[in-house]
Amino acid sequence: MFKACQRLLLLCTIALFSVNAFAAKPSFKICWSIYAGWMPWDYAQQSGIVKKWADKYGIDIKFVQVNDYIESVNQYTAGGFDGCTMTNMDALTIPATGGVDSTALIVGDYSNGNDGILVKGADSVASLKDQPINLVELSVSHYLLARALEQSGLSEKDVKVVNTADADLVAAFNTADVKSIVTWNPLLAEAKKQPGSHLVFSSARIPGEILDLLVVNTATLKQHPELGKALTGAWYETLKTMDGNSATAKAARTQMGEAAGTDLAGFDQQLAATHLFSDAKVTLDFIATPQLKATMQRVAEFSFKHGLLGEGAAGADAVGITTPAGNWGNADNIKLRFTDEFARLAAANQL
């Protein structure tokens, strides 16, 4: 009888172990779209870096490419993904305004020339007065135009914005009728080949204002901080891998460039106009300054002026935004959070 009980206990133990061994890991999906500052995520997945960090924390992470950038943000907002790559302006005007509490887990870079205004036959922003300008309306290109006009003593009332799909901008600029466009790389680099074109303003003139982020659902991140740790670890390992002129670094950037439709030289050219925060300490130095809060206030004011904060928004401060250097907007409606929690762990080698 005793031996029979021992055998039964052993069988139960084996069965319980088997159930635990094959229990499903927490699984997460992140969407991304092609852009120089986001190509490291694709490489991280393809090279196994994402899996390495996910395995460390006992989870599964899958990055899914969505060809239409705005559609990717919309799908995240609708709950189809746990995280998504997006700009700071779109993070505010789409998920945050839509009521989805989101956290900017990774502040990866800022556009430092990747976005620009091209004009044929003139070399100043002042030449845009009373002229039509083709761009993706209500996008970061529209924001860039507003900032360029402001710095030149003009306003949006002085120009006529012509809404044009990003896929059509280069072709439009190649026609005689279109004299000026606002766009981003790689479209900007292609359009610059047009004879007589001049780059009259670029995002290098407003450093730190057009930010490229990895945004994660705040509730998901709170429930699964291991997701934040794994993604942060994978990001900074990837940046370290691609940096420099070693064979490994060049191979990594070549793979990223090819995935983005260019080669190593073309991708390096895009990276030159992208201020990547090369390691966690650099990230912390940036997000700890008052500039981030000031930038988000400026973005919120632009967004409210253009009706991007929703019909019920009473002012630019309708949506609350938190940053390590202070908060902006409605404290009772915090929907966008910039965190330094995970970058601090990375900087201290505690991931």
Side-chain angles (χ1 to χ4, degrees):
M1 181 68 178
F2 178 73
K3 289 185 177 180
C5 290
Q6 278 187 317
R7 183 180 180 187
L8 181 59
L9 179 60
L10 177 61
L11 290 173
C12 289
T13 301
I14 293 173
L16 181 60
F17 175 80
S18 298
V19 170
N20 289 335
F22 291 99
K25 296 179 181 179
S27 182
F28 307 95
K29 290 197 307 178
I30 311 291
C31 55
W32 70 282
S33 54
I34 289 178
Y35 176 72
W38 296 325
M39 297 314 298
W41 287 117
D42 181 55
Y43 175 81
Q45 176 168 263
Q46 300 299 331
S47 66
I49 292 176
V50 167
K51 184 178 187 305
K52 167 190 168 181
W53 283 90
D55 287 348
K56 178 177 180 177
Y57 289 100
I59 60 178
D60 285 326
I61 303 173
K62 182 180 181 181
F63 276 80
V64 178
Q65 181 183 346
V66 178
N67 290 330
D68 186 318
Y69 164 65
I70 292 298
E71 179 59 24
S72 73
V73 183
N74 287 336
Q75 287 187 30
Y76 161 77
T77 303
F81 292 90
D82 300 292
C84 185
T85 56
M86 64 187 77
T87 68
N88 54 323
M89 179 173 149
D90 293 322
L92 172 64
T93 61
I94 303 179
T97 295
V100 179
D101 192 327
S102 299
T103 297
L105 175 68
I106 301 289
V107 180
D109 69 86
Y110 63 76
S111 177
N112 196 34
N114 260 327
D115 299 76
I117 302 174
L118 288 175
V119 179
K120 292 178 188 171
D123 58 4
S124 70
V125 174
S127 68
L128 297 173
K129 184 174 174 61
D130 299 325
Q131 298 299 313
I133 304 169
N134 293 63
L135 52 77
V136 179
E137 194 172 12
L138 305 180
S139 69
V140 290
S141 291
H142 200 156
Y143 174 82
L144 181 74
L145 172 65
R147 292 288 284 121
L149 294 171
E150 177 185 325
Q151 289 191 11
S152 299
L154 301 173
S155 73
E156 289 185 63
K157 294 179 180 179
D158 294 314
V159 300
K160 179 183 178 182
V161 169
V162 180
N163 188 29
T164 308
D166 56 337
D168 299 328
L169 276 169
V170 175
F173 196 56
N174 287 337
T175 66
D177 292 337
V178 177
K179 305 295 186 183
S180 58
I181 64 170
V182 189
T183 189
W184 55 84
N185 275 323
L187 301 175
L188 182 65
E190 184 64 26
K192 281 170 68 175
K193 297 176 183 177
Q194 178 71 16
S197 64
H198 298 274
L199 182 68
V200 299
F201 192 91
S202 83
S203 52
R205 298 273 295 275
I206 52 169
E209 292 191 29
I210 299 178
L211 300 171
D212 300 310
L213 317 170
L214 176 66
V215 169
V216 176
N217 182 281
T218 298
T220 300
L221 189 61
K222 184 176 181 180
Q223 185 177 359
H224 295 281
E226 67 272 22
L227 173 62
K229 293 177 180 179
L231 288 170
T232 302
W235 174 254
Y236 289 115
E237 180 176 338
T238 303
L239 291 194
K240 183 177 180 180
T241 300
M242 65 186 283
D243 185 45
N245 292 314
S246 69
T248 299
K250 288 183 177 180
R253 297 200 306 277
T254 296
Q255 183 173 327
M256 294 179 205
E258 290 175 350
T262 186
D263 56 14
L264 175 60
F267 189 64
D268 280 349
Q269 184 179 27
Q270 292 179 35
L271 286 179
T274 307
H275 186 92
L276 279 171
F277 296 119
S278 56
D279 61 44
K281 292 180 180 179
V282 176
T283 305
L284 289 172
D285 288 343
F286 175 79
I287 64 177
T289 66
Q291 181 185 357
L292 178 58
K293 176 186 174 184
T295 291
M296 291 312 301
Q297 178 177 343
R298 188 187 296 276
V299 169
E301 290 169 348
F302 171 88
S303 300
F304 175 69
K305 177 182 176 182
H306 292 83
L308 297 176
L309 298 184
E311 294 181 1
D317 59 354
V319 177
I321 304 166
T322 69
T323 81
N327 303 335
W328 157 258
N330 188 349
D332 296 323
N333 187 37
I334 301 293
K335 296 299 180 186
L336 181 57
R337 305 167 192 269
F338 288 84
T339 180
D340 61 0
E341 176 185 355
F342 297 93
R344 288 192 179 280
L345 292 174
N349 294 315
Q350 294 178 351
L351 288 176

